[in-house]
Amino acid sequence: MFSKILSRVLSALMKLMWSYIIFPEEGDLPTVKADFYALGHIPNIIGAIDGTHVALVPPNDDEQVYRNRNNYHSMNIQVVCLADQYISHVNAKFPGSVHDAYVMRNSSIPYVMEQLQRQRVWLIGDSGYPNLPWLLTPVRNPRTRAEERYNEAHGRTRRVIERTFGLLKARFRCLHMTGGSLMYSPKKVCHIIVACCMLHNLALRRQVPFLQEDGPDGGVVEAVEPVESEEEEDSEDDTDNRDRVIQQYFQ
């Protein structure tokens, strides 16, 4: 009975996804950019992007596809968040073996950001992503003080996506490793993840307080989990764009 009810609830929630997970529109950009600027003093940032893994029990016939670089089975979830940890985009359809950069390229994010290019705005991501006209990544081996300042500002700004993952998985323990592996089909797991992101946004907008659960030893469960690092695709596709940002704002 629970399984039937869960399927119906998820189906209903998926129809409302675009009402609760909303990418900033042009009229929202000045406020979004100001909020991000306050984090690390990098101008024109409208989102932080990263991937995180949610464990599941894989289908028997495709087990290896779901095994991630940390040697457990998962879905690789791409999220873009705002400076207040609101989730503005989620892509939950790729298995754990897929790299973050591939997920990004095969999502709607490139199209959305290219439509906003006349606004001269950027997303910010880690070195697992390529440098693009609309995506700023850190300098892998900084050689000047300006590059070091840029990396420091980049780290302060990008940290919001790590806090977002921590809050999301602390509020919805089924997404965290401590909650075990989700024992549903990959499609249903994707729907569960998106539903949790919707409810996360609803909780933020309605200012629902986050109450940390008591841990098994009587302490408090840590809200932030370790961030999985993916740096195997440190592409330098558009370093000119990043260099212009460094020269203009960090010299």
mmCIF file of all heavy atoms in Angstrom, residues 87-105:
data_model
loop_
_atom_site.group_PDB
_atom_site.id
_atom_site.type_symbol
_atom_site.label_atom_id
_atom_site.label_comp_id
_atom_site.label_asym_id
_atom_site.label_seq_id
_atom_site.Cartn_x
_atom_site.Cartn_y
_atom_site.Cartn_z
ATOM 1 N N ILE A 87 17.384 25.652 -4.711
ATOM 2 C CA ILE A 87 17.774 24.846 -5.869
ATOM 3 C C ILE A 87 17.034 25.357 -7.105
ATOM 4 O O ILE A 87 15.805 25.296 -7.179
ATOM 5 C CB ILE A 87 17.481 23.359 -5.623
ATOM 6 C CG1 ILE A 87 18.400 22.831 -4.512
ATOM 7 C CG2 ILE A 87 17.659 22.540 -6.905
ATOM 8 C CD1 ILE A 87 18.080 21.416 -4.065
ATOM 9 N N SER A 88 17.808 25.869 -8.076
ATOM 10 C CA SER A 88 17.194 26.446 -9.276
ATOM 11 C C SER A 88 17.183 25.488 -10.458
ATOM 12 O O SER A 88 16.547 25.767 -11.474
ATOM 13 C CB SER A 88 17.923 27.740 -9.661
ATOM 14 O OG SER A 88 19.297 27.482 -9.914
ATOM 15 N N HIS A 89 17.888 24.372 -10.343
ATOM 16 C CA HIS A 89 17.918 23.377 -11.418
ATOM 17 C C HIS A 89 18.361 22.051 -10.829
ATOM 18 O O HIS A 89 19.245 22.006 -9.970
ATOM 19 C CB HIS A 89 18.880 23.815 -12.520
ATOM 20 C CG HIS A 89 19.015 22.815 -13.637
ATOM 21 N ND1 HIS A 89 19.913 21.757 -13.593
ATOM 22 C CD2 HIS A 89 18.375 22.694 -14.833
ATOM 23 C CE1 HIS A 89 19.814 21.054 -14.698
ATOM 24 N NE2 HIS A 89 18.893 21.591 -15.467
ATOM 25 N N VAL A 90 17.760 20.952 -11.290
ATOM 26 C CA VAL A 90 18.200 19.623 -10.877
ATOM 27 C C VAL A 90 18.077 18.675 -12.068
ATOM 28 O O VAL A 90 17.111 18.733 -12.826
ATOM 29 C CB VAL A 90 17.397 19.094 -9.662
ATOM 30 C CG1 VAL A 90 15.910 19.008 -9.967
ATOM 31 C CG2 VAL A 90 17.925 17.744 -9.204
ATOM 32 N N ASN A 91 19.085 17.845 -12.261
ATOM 33 C CA ASN A 91 19.080 16.799 -13.284
ATOM 34 C C ASN A 91 19.426 15.496 -12.570
ATOM 35 O O ASN A 91 20.554 15.323 -12.098
ATOM 36 C CB ASN A 91 20.108 17.111 -14.378
ATOM 37 C CG ASN A 91 20.041 16.130 -15.536
ATOM 38 O OD1 ASN A 91 19.720 14.957 -15.360
ATOM 39 N ND2 ASN A 91 20.340 16.604 -16.734
ATOM 40 N N ALA A 92 18.460 14.582 -12.495
ATOM 41 C CA ALA A 92 18.627 13.375 -11.672
ATOM 42 C C ALA A 92 18.559 12.096 -12.491
ATOM 43 O O ALA A 92 18.257 11.042 -11.953
ATOM 44 C CB ALA A 92 17.558 13.354 -10.579
ATOM 45 N N LYS A 93 18.876 12.141 -13.780
ATOM 46 C CA LYS A 93 18.603 10.978 -14.628
ATOM 47 C C LYS A 93 19.835 10.148 -14.990
ATOM 48 O O LYS A 93 19.710 9.138 -15.676
ATOM 49 C CB LYS A 93 17.906 11.424 -15.912
ATOM 50 C CG LYS A 93 18.746 12.307 -16.826
ATOM 51 C CD LYS A 93 17.931 12.737 -18.040
ATOM 52 C CE LYS A 93 18.754 13.599 -18.993
ATOM 53 N NZ LYS A 93 17.952 14.018 -20.170
ATOM 54 N N PHE A 94 21.048 10.540 -14.540
ATOM 55 C CA PHE A 94 22.253 9.831 -14.958
ATOM 56 C C PHE A 94 22.799 8.930 -13.851
ATOM 57 O O PHE A 94 22.789 9.310 -12.675
ATOM 58 C CB PHE A 94 23.334 10.812 -15.399
ATOM 59 C CG PHE A 94 23.040 11.450 -16.730
ATOM 60 C CD1 PHE A 94 22.405 12.681 -16.806
ATOM 61 C CD2 PHE A 94 23.381 10.801 -17.907
ATOM 62 C CE1 PHE A 94 22.126 13.265 -18.027
ATOM 63 C CE2 PHE A 94 23.103 11.377 -19.145
ATOM 64 C CZ PHE A 94 22.474 12.609 -19.204
ATOM 65 N N PRO A 95 23.306 7.741 -14.214
ATOM 66 C CA PRO A 95 23.853 6.815 -13.220
ATOM 67 C C PRO A 95 25.202 7.285 -12.680
ATOM 68 O O PRO A 95 25.838 8.180 -13.236
ATOM 69 C CB PRO A 95 23.993 5.502 -14.007
ATOM 70 C CG PRO A 95 24.166 5.928 -15.418
ATOM 71 C CD PRO A 95 23.333 7.165 -15.570
ATOM 72 N N GLY A 96 25.631 6.638 -11.593
ATOM 73 C CA GLY A 96 26.803 7.100 -10.865
ATOM 74 C C GLY A 96 28.115 7.055 -11.613
ATOM 75 O O GLY A 96 29.053 7.774 -11.268
ATOM 76 N N SER A 97 28.239 6.230 -12.654
ATOM 77 C CA SER A 97 29.504 6.141 -13.386
ATOM 78 C C SER A 97 29.728 7.329 -14.314
ATOM 79 O O SER A 97 30.840 7.518 -14.819
ATOM 80 C CB SER A 97 29.540 4.846 -14.216
ATOM 81 O OG SER A 97 28.523 4.860 -15.218
ATOM 82 N N VAL A 98 28.705 8.136 -14.530
ATOM 83 C CA VAL A 98 28.800 9.264 -15.470
ATOM 84 C C VAL A 98 29.456 10.458 -14.782
ATOM 85 O O VAL A 98 29.128 10.801 -13.651
ATOM 86 C CB VAL A 98 27.404 9.639 -15.992
ATOM 87 C CG1 VAL A 98 27.480 10.856 -16.906
ATOM 88 C CG2 VAL A 98 26.789 8.470 -16.745
ATOM 89 N N HIS A 99 30.386 11.110 -15.481
ATOM 90 C CA HIS A 99 31.113 12.239 -14.936
ATOM 91 C C HIS A 99 30.238 13.495 -14.895
ATOM 92 O O HIS A 99 29.351 13.688 -15.719
ATOM 93 C CB HIS A 99 32.365 12.505 -15.785
ATOM 94 C CG HIS A 99 33.328 13.463 -15.164
ATOM 95 N ND1 HIS A 99 33.212 14.824 -15.297
ATOM 96 C CD2 HIS A 99 34.432 13.246 -14.399
ATOM 97 C CE1 HIS A 99 34.198 15.421 -14.652
ATOM 98 N NE2 HIS A 99 34.952 14.485 -14.099
ATOM 99 N N ASP A 100 30.527 14.379 -13.919
ATOM 100 C CA ASP A 100 29.768 15.620 -13.762
ATOM 101 C C ASP A 100 29.723 16.436 -15.055
ATOM 102 O O ASP A 100 28.678 17.003 -15.411
ATOM 103 C CB ASP A 100 30.385 16.486 -12.656
ATOM 104 C CG ASP A 100 30.121 15.943 -11.264
ATOM 105 O OD1 ASP A 100 29.365 14.960 -11.136
ATOM 106 O OD2 ASP A 100 30.677 16.505 -10.293
ATOM 107 N N ALA A 101 30.859 16.534 -15.748
ATOM 108 C CA ALA A 101 30.906 17.356 -16.958
ATOM 109 C C ALA A 101 29.987 16.799 -18.039
ATOM 110 O O ALA A 101 29.353 17.557 -18.785
ATOM 111 C CB ALA A 101 32.349 17.445 -17.478
ATOM 112 N N TYR A 102 29.887 15.479 -18.136
ATOM 113 C CA TYR A 102 28.988 14.863 -19.119
ATOM 114 C C TYR A 102 27.527 15.149 -18.760
ATOM 115 O O TYR A 102 26.711 15.450 -19.644
ATOM 116 C CB TYR A 102 29.230 13.351 -19.171
ATOM 117 C CG TYR A 102 28.358 12.629 -20.180
ATOM 118 C CD1 TYR A 102 28.782 12.464 -21.496
ATOM 119 C CD2 TYR A 102 27.109 12.119 -19.820
ATOM 120 C CE1 TYR A 102 27.985 11.812 -22.432
ATOM 121 C CE2 TYR A 102 26.305 11.468 -20.743
ATOM 122 C CZ TYR A 102 26.751 11.313 -22.043
ATOM 123 O OH TYR A 102 25.948 10.671 -22.962
ATOM 124 N N VAL A 103 27.206 15.063 -17.476
ATOM 125 C CA VAL A 103 25.840 15.364 -17.038
ATOM 126 C C VAL A 103 25.482 16.791 -17.412
ATOM 127 O O VAL A 103 24.394 17.066 -17.943
ATOM 128 C CB VAL A 103 25.694 15.151 -15.514
ATOM 129 C CG1 VAL A 103 24.285 15.536 -15.057
ATOM 130 C CG2 VAL A 103 25.988 13.705 -15.143
ATOM 131 N N MET A 104 26.409 17.715 -17.167
ATOM 132 C CA MET A 104 26.145 19.115 -17.478
ATOM 133 C C MET A 104 25.910 19.326 -18.965
ATOM 134 O O MET A 104 24.967 20.003 -19.372
ATOM 135 C CB MET A 104 27.315 19.970 -16.979
ATOM 136 C CG MET A 104 27.136 21.472 -17.187
ATOM 137 S SD MET A 104 27.802 22.036 -18.776
ATOM 138 C CE MET A 104 29.560 21.756 -18.524
ATOM 139 N N ARG A 105 26.779 18.735 -19.788
ATOM 140 C CA ARG A 105 26.653 18.927 -21.240
ATOM 141 C C ARG A 105 25.342 18.355 -21.778
ATOM 142 O O ARG A 105 24.844 18.812 -22.805
ATOM 143 C CB ARG A 105 27.828 18.270 -21.959
ATOM 144 C CG ARG A 105 29.171 18.977 -21.763
ATOM 145 C CD ARG A 105 30.215 18.409 -22.707
ATOM 146 N NE ARG A 105 31.527 18.995 -22.479
ATOM 147 C CZ ARG A 105 32.516 18.416 -21.815
ATOM 148 N NH1 ARG A 105 32.337 17.210 -21.302
ATOM 149 N NH2 ARG A 105 33.680 19.018 -21.662
#
